[in-house]
Coordinates of all heavy atoms in Angstrom, one line a residue:
M1 N 71.6 76.1 139.6 CA 71.9 77.3 138.8 C 72.3 78.4 139.6 O 71.8 78.6 140.7 CB 70.7 77.6 137.9 CG 70.4 76.6 136.9 SD 68.8 76.8 136.1 CE 67.7 76.1 137.3
R2 N 73.3 79.1 139.2 CA 73.8 80.2 140.0 C 73.9 81.5 139.2 O 73.8 81.5 138.0 CB 75.2 79.9 140.4 CG 75.3 78.7 141.4 CD 76.7 78.3 141.6 NE 77.3 77.6 140.4 CZ 78.5 77.2 140.3 NH1 79.3 77.3 141.3 NH2 78.9 76.6 139.2
L3 N 74.0 82.6 140.0 CA 74.2 83.9 139.3 C 75.1 84.7 140.1 O 75.3 84.5 141.3 CB 72.8 84.6 139.1 CG 72.0 85.1 140.3 CD1 72.4 86.5 140.6 CD2 70.6 85.0 140.0
V4 N 75.7 85.7 139.4 CA 76.5 86.6 140.1 C 76.2 88.0 139.5 O 75.8 88.1 138.3 CB 78.0 86.3 139.7 CG1 78.9 87.5 140.0 CG2 78.5 85.1 140.5
V5 N 76.2 89.0 140.4 CA 76.0 90.4 139.9 C 77.3 91.1 140.0 O 77.9 91.1 141.1 CB 74.9 91.1 140.7 CG1 74.8 92.6 140.2 CG2 73.6 90.4 140.5
D6 N 77.8 91.6 138.9 CA 79.0 92.4 139.0 C 78.6 93.8 139.6 O 78.1 94.7 138.9 CB 79.6 92.6 137.6 CG 80.9 93.4 137.5 OD1 81.2 94.0 138.6 OD2 81.6 93.3 136.5
L7 N 78.9 93.9 140.8 CA 78.5 95.2 141.6 C 79.3 96.4 141.1 O 78.9 97.5 141.4 CB 78.6 94.9 143.1 CG 77.6 93.8 143.6 CD1 77.8 93.6 145.0 CD2 76.1 94.2 143.3
N8 N 80.4 96.2 140.4 CA 81.1 97.3 139.9 C 80.4 97.9 138.7 O 80.5 99.1 138.4 CB 82.5 96.9 139.4 CG 83.4 96.5 140.6 OD1 83.3 97.2 141.7 ND2 84.2 95.5 140.5
R9 N 79.6 97.1 138.0 CA 78.8 97.6 136.9 C 77.4 98.0 137.3 O 76.9 98.9 136.7 CB 78.6 96.4 135.9 CG 79.7 96.2 135.0 CD 79.3 95.3 133.9 NE 80.4 94.6 133.2 CZ 80.2 93.8 132.2 NH1 79.0 93.5 131.8 NH2 81.2 93.2 131.7
C10 N 76.9 97.3 138.3 CA 75.5 97.6 138.7 C 75.3 99.1 139.1 O 76.0 99.6 139.8 CB 75.1 96.7 139.9 SG 73.5 97.1 140.6
Q11 N 74.2 99.6 138.4 CA 73.9 101.1 138.7 C 72.7 101.2 139.6 O 72.2 102.3 139.7 CB 73.7 101.8 137.3 CG 74.9 101.7 136.4 CD 76.1 102.5 136.9 OE1 75.9 103.6 137.4 NE2 77.2 101.8 137.0
G12 N 72.2 100.1 140.1 CA 71.0 100.2 140.9 C 69.7 100.6 140.2 O 68.9 101.2 140.8
F13 N 69.6 100.3 138.9 CA 68.4 100.7 138.2 C 67.2 99.9 138.6 O 66.1 100.3 138.4 CB 68.6 100.5 136.7 CG 69.7 101.4 136.1 CD1 70.7 100.9 135.3 CD2 69.6 102.8 136.3 CE1 71.6 101.7 134.8 CE2 70.5 103.6 135.7 CZ 71.6 103.1 135.0
A14 N 67.4 98.7 139.2 CA 66.4 97.9 139.8 C 65.4 97.2 138.8 O 64.4 96.6 139.3 CB 65.6 98.7 140.8
Q15 N 65.7 97.2 137.6 CA 64.9 96.4 136.7 C 64.8 94.9 137.1 O 63.8 94.3 137.1 CB 65.4 96.4 135.2 CG 64.9 97.6 134.4 CD 65.9 98.7 134.6 OE1 66.6 98.9 135.6 NE2 66.0 99.6 133.6
C16 N 66.0 94.4 137.6 CA 66.0 93.0 138.0 C 65.1 92.8 139.2 O 64.5 91.7 139.3 CB 67.5 92.6 138.4 SG 68.2 93.7 139.6
V17 N 65.0 93.8 140.1 CA 64.2 93.6 141.3 C 62.7 93.5 140.9 O 61.9 92.7 141.4 CB 64.4 94.8 142.2 CG1 63.5 94.7 143.4 CG2 65.8 94.9 142.6
F18 N 62.3 94.3 139.9 CA 60.9 94.2 139.4 C 60.6 92.9 138.7 O 59.5 92.3 138.8 CB 60.6 95.4 138.5 CG 60.6 96.7 139.2 CD1 61.5 97.6 139.0 CD2 59.6 96.9 140.3 CE1 61.5 98.8 139.6 CE2 59.7 98.1 141.0 CZ 60.6 99.1 140.6
L19 N 61.6 92.4 137.9 CA 61.4 91.2 137.1 C 61.6 89.9 137.8 O 61.0 88.9 137.5 CB 62.3 91.3 135.9 CG 61.9 92.3 134.9 CD1 63.1 92.6 133.9 CD2 60.7 92.0 134.1
A20 N 62.4 89.9 138.9 CA 62.7 88.7 139.7 C 62.7 89.0 141.1 O 63.8 88.9 141.8 CB 63.9 88.0 139.2
P21 N 61.6 89.4 141.7 CA 61.6 89.9 143.1 C 62.0 88.8 144.1 O 62.3 89.1 145.2 CB 60.2 90.4 143.3 CG 59.4 89.8 142.3 CD 60.3 89.5 141.1
D22 N 61.9 87.5 143.7 CA 62.2 86.4 144.6 C 63.8 86.3 144.7 O 64.3 85.7 145.6 CB 61.7 85.1 144.1 CG 60.2 85.0 144.1 OD1 59.6 85.9 144.7 OD2 59.7 84.1 143.4
V23 N 64.5 86.8 143.7 CA 65.9 86.6 143.7 C 66.7 87.9 144.0 O 67.7 87.9 144.6 CB 66.3 86.1 142.2 CG1 67.8 86.0 142.1 CG2 65.6 84.8 141.9
F24 N 66.1 89.1 143.6 CA 66.8 90.3 143.8 C 66.0 91.2 144.8 O 64.8 91.2 144.7 CB 67.0 91.1 142.5 CG 67.8 90.3 141.5 CD1 67.1 89.6 140.5 CD2 69.2 90.3 141.4 CE1 67.8 88.9 139.5 CE2 69.9 89.6 140.5 CZ 69.2 88.9 139.5
A25 N 66.7 92.0 145.5 CA 66.1 93.0 146.4 C 67.0 94.2 146.5 O 68.2 94.1 146.5 CB 65.8 92.4 147.8
L26 N 66.4 95.4 146.6 CA 67.2 96.6 146.8 C 67.0 97.1 148.2 O 65.9 97.2 148.7 CB 66.7 97.7 145.8 CG 67.5 98.0 144.6 CD1 67.0 99.2 143.9 CD2 69.0 98.1 144.8
H27 N 68.1 97.3 148.9 CA 68.0 97.9 150.2 C 68.6 99.3 150.2 O 69.7 99.5 149.8 CB 68.8 97.0 151.2 CG 68.0 95.9 151.7 ND1 67.8 95.6 153.1 CD2 67.2 95.0 151.1 CE1 67.0 94.6 153.2 NE2 66.6 94.2 152.1
G28 N 67.8 100.2 150.5 CA 68.2 101.6 150.4 C 68.2 102.0 149.0 O 67.5 101.4 148.2
E29 N 69.0 103.0 148.6 CA 69.0 103.5 147.3 C 69.9 102.7 146.3 O 69.6 102.6 145.2 CB 69.6 105.0 147.3 CG 68.7 105.9 148.2 CD 67.9 106.9 147.3 OE1 68.5 107.3 146.3 OE2 66.8 107.1 147.7
E30 N 70.9 102.1 146.8 CA 71.9 101.5 145.9 C 72.3 100.0 146.2 O 72.9 99.4 145.4 CB 73.1 102.4 145.8 CG 72.8 103.7 145.2 CD 74.1 104.5 145.0 OE1 75.2 104.0 145.4 OE2 74.0 105.6 144.4
A31 N 72.0 99.6 147.4 CA 72.5 98.2 147.8 C 71.7 97.1 147.2 O 70.5 96.9 147.7 CB 72.6 98.1 149.3
L32 N 72.2 96.4 146.3 CA 71.5 95.3 145.7 C 71.8 94.0 146.4 O 73.0 93.7 146.5 CB 71.8 95.2 144.2 CG 71.1 94.1 143.4 CD1 69.6 94.4 143.2 CD2 71.8 93.8 142.1
L33 N 70.8 93.3 146.8 CA 71.0 92.0 147.4 C 70.5 91.0 146.4 O 69.5 91.2 145.7 CB 70.3 91.9 148.7 CG 70.6 92.9 149.8 CD1 69.8 92.7 151.0 CD2 72.1 92.8 150.1
F34 N 71.1 89.8 146.3 CA 70.6 88.8 145.4 C 70.9 87.4 146.0 O 71.8 87.2 146.8 CB 71.2 88.9 144.0 CG 72.7 88.8 144.0 CD1 73.3 87.6 143.7 CD2 73.5 89.9 144.3 CE1 74.7 87.5 143.7 CE2 74.9 89.8 144.2 CZ 75.5 88.6 143.9
S35 N 70.1 86.4 145.6 CA 70.4 85.0 145.9 C 71.3 84.4 144.9 O 71.0 84.4 143.7 CB 69.1 84.2 145.9 OG 68.2 84.8 146.7
P36 N 72.5 84.0 145.3 CA 73.4 83.4 144.3 C 73.0 82.1 143.7 O 73.4 81.7 142.6 CB 74.7 83.2 145.1 CG 74.3 83.2 146.5 CD 73.0 84.0 146.6
R37 N 72.0 81.4 144.3 CA 71.5 80.2 143.7 C 70.0 80.4 143.4 O 69.3 81.0 144.2 CB 71.7 79.0 144.6 CG 73.1 78.6 144.7 CD 73.3 77.2 145.3 NE 74.6 76.7 145.0 CZ 74.9 76.0 143.9 NH1 73.9 75.6 143.1 NH2 76.1 75.6 143.7
F38 N 69.5 79.8 142.4 CA 68.1 79.9 142.1 C 67.6 78.6 141.5 O 68.4 77.7 141.0 CB 67.8 81.0 141.2 CG 68.4 81.0 139.8 CD1 67.7 80.5 138.7 CD2 69.7 81.5 139.6 CE1 68.3 80.4 137.5 CE2 70.3 81.4 138.4 CZ 69.6 80.9 137.3
D39 N 66.3 78.4 141.5 CA 65.7 77.1 141.1 C 65.2 77.2 139.7 O 65.0 78.3 139.1 CB 64.5 76.8 142.0 CG 65.0 76.6 143.5 OD1 66.1 76.1 143.7 OD2 64.2 76.9 144.4
E40 N 64.8 76.0 139.2 CA 64.2 76.0 137.8 C 63.0 76.9 137.7 O 62.8 77.5 136.7 CB 63.8 74.5 137.6 CG 63.3 74.2 136.2 CD 64.3 74.5 135.1 OE1 65.5 74.2 135.2 OE2 63.8 75.0 134.0
E41 N 62.2 77.0 138.8 CA 61.0 77.8 138.7 C 61.3 79.3 138.5 O 60.5 80.1 138.1 CB 60.1 77.6 139.9 CG 59.7 76.2 140.3 CD 60.7 75.6 141.3 OE1 60.8 76.1 142.4 OE2 61.5 74.7 140.8
Q42 N 62.5 79.6 139.0 CA 62.9 81.1 138.9 C 63.7 81.4 137.7 O 64.0 82.5 137.4 CB 63.7 81.4 140.2 CG 62.9 81.3 141.4 CD 63.8 81.3 142.7 OE1 64.8 80.6 142.7 NE2 63.4 82.0 143.7
R43 N 63.9 80.4 136.9 CA 64.8 80.6 135.7 C 64.3 81.6 134.7 O 65.0 82.5 134.3 CB 65.0 79.3 134.9 CG 65.8 79.5 133.6 CD 65.6 78.3 132.7 NE 66.4 77.2 133.2 CZ 67.1 76.5 132.4 NH1 67.1 76.7 131.1 NH2 67.8 75.5 132.9
D44 N 63.0 81.6 134.5 CA 62.4 82.5 133.5 C 62.6 84.0 134.0 O 63.0 84.8 133.2 CB 60.9 82.2 133.5 CG 60.4 82.2 132.0 OD1 61.2 81.8 131.2 OD2 59.3 82.7 131.8
Q45 N 62.3 84.2 135.3 CA 62.4 85.5 135.9 C 63.9 86.0 135.8 O 64.2 87.1 135.4 CB 62.1 85.5 137.4 CG 60.6 85.3 137.7 CD 60.4 85.4 139.2 OE1 61.2 85.7 140.0 NE2 59.2 85.1 139.6
V46 N 64.8 85.1 136.1 CA 66.2 85.4 136.2 C 66.7 85.8 134.7 O 67.4 86.7 134.5 CB 67.1 84.3 136.8 CG1 68.5 84.6 136.6 CG2 66.7 84.2 138.3
E47 N 66.3 85.0 133.8 CA 66.7 85.3 132.4 C 66.1 86.6 131.9 O 66.8 87.4 131.2 CB 66.2 84.2 131.5 CG 67.1 82.9 131.7 CD 66.8 81.8 130.7 OE1 65.7 81.9 130.0 OE2 67.6 80.9 130.6
K48 N 64.9 86.9 132.3 CA 64.3 88.2 131.9 C 65.1 89.4 132.6 O 65.4 90.4 132.0 CB 62.9 88.3 132.3 CG 62.0 87.5 131.3 CD 60.5 87.6 131.6 CE 59.8 86.7 130.7 NZ 58.5 86.2 131.2
A49 N 65.4 89.2 133.9 CA 66.1 90.2 134.6 C 67.5 90.4 134.0 O 68.0 91.6 133.8 CB 66.3 89.8 136.1
A50 N 68.2 89.3 133.7 CA 69.6 89.4 133.1 C 69.5 90.2 131.7 O 70.3 91.0 131.4 CB 70.2 88.1 132.9
A51 N 68.5 89.9 131.0 CA 68.3 90.5 129.6 C 68.0 92.0 129.8 O 68.3 92.8 128.9 CB 67.3 89.8 128.8
A52 N 67.2 92.3 130.8 CA 66.8 93.7 131.0 C 67.8 94.6 131.7 O 67.7 95.8 131.6 CB 65.5 93.7 131.8
C53 N 68.8 94.0 132.3 CA 69.8 94.8 133.0 C 70.5 95.7 132.0 O 71.1 95.3 131.1 CB 70.8 94.0 133.7 SG 72.1 94.9 134.5
P54 N 70.4 97.0 132.1 CA 71.0 98.0 131.1 C 72.5 97.9 131.1 O 73.0 98.4 130.1 CB 70.4 99.3 131.6 CG 70.0 99.2 133.0 CD 69.7 97.7 133.2
V55 N 73.1 97.5 132.1 CA 74.6 97.4 132.1 C 75.1 96.0 132.0 O 76.3 95.7 132.2 CB 75.2 98.2 133.3 CG1 74.9 99.7 133.2 CG2 74.7 97.6 134.6
Q56 N 74.2 95.0 131.8 CA 74.6 93.6 131.7 C 75.5 93.1 132.9 O 76.5 92.5 132.7 CB 75.3 93.3 130.4 CG 74.3 93.6 129.3 CD 74.9 93.5 127.9 OE1 76.1 93.4 127.8 NE2 74.0 93.6 126.9
A57 N 75.0 93.5 134.1 CA 75.8 93.1 135.3 C 75.4 91.7 135.8 O 76.1 91.2 136.7 CB 75.5 94.2 136.4
I58 N 74.3 91.1 135.3 CA 73.9 89.8 135.8 C 74.4 88.7 135.0 O 74.2 88.6 133.8 CB 72.4 89.8 135.9 CG1 71.8 90.9 136.7 CG2 71.9 88.4 136.4 CD1 70.3 91.1 136.6
L59 N 75.2 87.9 135.6 CA 75.9 86.8 134.9 C 75.3 85.5 135.4 O 75.3 85.2 136.6 CB 77.4 86.8 135.1 CG 78.1 88.1 134.8 CD1 79.5 88.0 135.2 CD2 77.9 88.5 133.4
V60 N 74.7 84.7 134.5 CA 74.0 83.5 134.9 C 74.9 82.3 134.6 O 75.4 82.2 133.4 CB 72.6 83.4 134.3 CG1 71.9 82.1 134.8 CG2 71.8 84.6 134.6
D61 N 75.0 81.3 135.5 CA 75.9 80.1 135.3 C 75.0 78.9 135.4 O 74.4 78.6 136.4 CB 77.0 80.2 136.3 CG 77.9 78.9 136.2 OD1 77.8 78.2 135.2 OD2 78.7 78.8 137.1
Y62 N 74.9 78.1 134.3 CA 74.2 76.9 134.2 C 75.1 75.7 134.3 O 74.7 74.6 134.0 CB 73.4 76.8 133.0 CG 72.3 77.9 132.8 CD1 72.6 79.0 132.0 CD2 71.1 77.8 133.5 CE1 71.6 80.0 131.9 CE2 70.2 78.8 133.3 CZ 70.4 79.9 132.5 OH 69.5 80.9 132.4
S63 N 76.3 75.9 134.7 CA 77.3 74.8 134.6 C 77.0 73.6 135.5 O 77.5 72.5 135.3 CB 78.7 75.3 134.9 OG 78.8 75.8 136.2
D64 N 76.1 73.8 136.5 CA 75.8 72.6 137.3 C 74.5 71.9 136.7 O 74.0 71.0 137.3 CB 75.5 73.0 138.8 CG 74.5 74.1 138.9 OD1 74.1 74.7 137.9 OD2 74.1 74.4 140.1
E65 N 74.2 72.3 135.5 CA 73.1 71.7 134.8 C 73.6 70.8 133.7 O 74.3 71.3 132.8 CB 72.2 72.8 134.2 CG 70.9 72.4 133.8 CD 70.1 73.5 133.2 OE1 69.9 74.5 134.0 OE2 69.7 73.5 132.1
P66 N 73.4 69.5 133.7 CA 74.1 68.6 132.8 C 73.9 68.9 131.3 O 74.8 68.7 130.6 CB 73.5 67.3 133.2 CG 72.5 67.5 134.2 CD 72.5 68.9 134.7
T67 N 72.8 69.4 130.9 CA 72.5 69.6 129.5 C 73.1 70.9 128.9 O 73.1 71.0 127.7 CB 71.0 69.5 129.2 OG1 70.3 70.5 130.1 CG2 70.5 68.1 129.4
R68 N 73.5 71.8 129.7 CA 73.9 73.1 129.2 C 75.4 73.3 129.3 O 76.1 73.2 128.4 CB 73.2 74.3 129.9 CG 71.7 74.2 129.5 CD 71.3 75.6 129.2 NE 69.9 75.6 128.8 CZ 69.2 76.7 128.8 NH1 69.7 77.9 129.1 NH2 67.9 76.7 128.4
G69 N 75.9 73.5 130.5 CA 77.3 73.6 130.7 C 78.0 74.9 130.1 O 79.1 74.9 129.9
V70 N 77.2 75.9 129.9 CA 77.8 77.1 129.4 C 77.3 78.3 130.2 O 76.3 78.2 130.9 CB 77.4 77.4 127.9 CG1 78.0 76.4 127.0 CG2 75.9 77.4 127.7
T71 N 78.0 79.4 130.2 CA 77.6 80.6 130.9 C 76.8 81.4 130.0 O 77.1 81.6 128.8 CB 78.8 81.4 131.3 OG1 79.6 80.5 132.2 CG2 78.5 82.6 132.1
R72 N 75.6 81.9 130.5 CA 74.8 82.7 129.6 C 74.5 84.0 130.4 O 74.8 84.1 131.5 CB 73.4 82.0 129.4 CG 73.6 80.8 128.5 CD 72.3 80.2 128.1 NE 71.2 81.1 128.3 CZ 70.0 80.9 127.7 NH1 69.8 79.8 127.0 NH2 69.0 81.7 127.9
G73 N 74.0 85.0 129.6 CA 73.6 86.2 130.3 C 74.7 87.2 130.3 O 74.7 88.2 130.9
G74 N 75.8 87.0 129.5 CA 76.9 87.9 129.4 C 78.2 87.2 129.4 O 78.3 86.0 129.3
E75 N 79.2 88.0 129.5 CA 80.6 87.4 129.5 C 80.8 86.7 130.8 O 80.2 87.1 131.9 CB 81.6 88.6 129.4 CG 81.4 89.4 128.2 CD 81.9 90.8 128.4 OE1 82.7 91.0 129.3 OE2 81.6 91.7 127.6
P76 N 81.7 85.7 130.8 CA 82.1 85.1 132.1 C 82.7 86.1 133.1 O 83.3 87.0 132.6 CB 83.1 84.0 131.7 CG 83.0 83.9 130.2 CD 82.4 85.2 129.7
H77 N 82.4 85.9 134.3 CA 82.9 86.8 135.3 C 84.4 86.5 135.5 O 84.7 85.4 135.9 CB 82.1 86.6 136.6 CG 82.5 87.6 137.7 ND1 82.4 88.9 137.6 CD2 83.1 87.3 138.9 CE1 82.9 89.5 138.7 NE2 83.3 88.5 139.5
V78 N 85.2 87.5 135.3 CA 86.6 87.3 135.6 C 87.1 88.3 136.6 O 86.6 89.4 136.6 CB 87.5 87.4 134.3 CG1 87.3 86.2 133.4 CG2 87.1 88.7 133.5
G79 N 88.0 87.9 137.5 CA 88.5 88.8 138.5 C 87.5 88.9 139.5 O 87.3 89.8 140.2
Ligands
SF4_1 S1 69.1 95.7 136.7 FE1 71.3 95.6 136.6 S2 72.0 97.6 137.1 FE2 69.9 97.4 137.8 S3 70.0 96.8 139.9 FE3 69.8 95.0 138.6 S4 71.9 94.3 138.3 FE4 72.0 96.4 139.0

């Protein structure tokens, strides 16, 4: 499972960091770091973080998961 953060949208509110600290980290005031791949155990945290992001900058991709094959957590990332 993968995720992408649209850094053009991200405002550094850090809700994702509080909800999924294993996946997201803030360095300094605005630089968001994240792991582009996450495990099944982290799925709950990532889904909560994506839902809580006020600008919907977190895009989650389950396409490498055989039973889903759809993008969730917002619009597909284009460009
Ligand atoms: S919650 Fe959204 S806006 Fe805030 S740091 Fe995370 S991705 Fe960026």
Side-chain angles (χ1 to χ4, degrees):
M1 289 171 279
R2 293 173 290 179
L3 69 90
V4 163
V5 176
D6 183 345
L7 296 174
N8 292 319
R9 280 194 199 179
C10 174
Q11 301 295 311
F13 294 128
Q15 274 91 331
C16 57
V17 178
F18 293 114
L19 290 166
D22 296 343
V23 178
F24 301 96
L26 260 189
H27 274 231
E29 299 252 322
E30 292 185 358
L32 180 71
L33 303 178
F34 61 95
S35 306
R37 288 199 163 266
F38 61 96
D39 299 327
E40 182 63 37
E41 308 91 68
Q42 295 164 319
R43 174 197 283 226
D44 226 34
Q45 290 183 10
V46 169
E47 287 186 346
K48 284 181 182 154
C53 177
V55 294
Q56 295 172 352
I58 302 170
L59 308 175
V60 184
D61 179 9
Y62 297 100
S63 61
D64 54 353
E65 193 178 303
T67 52
R68 292 226 181 164
V70 293
T71 299
R72 293 185 21 164
E75 302 156 16
H77 182 64
V78 285

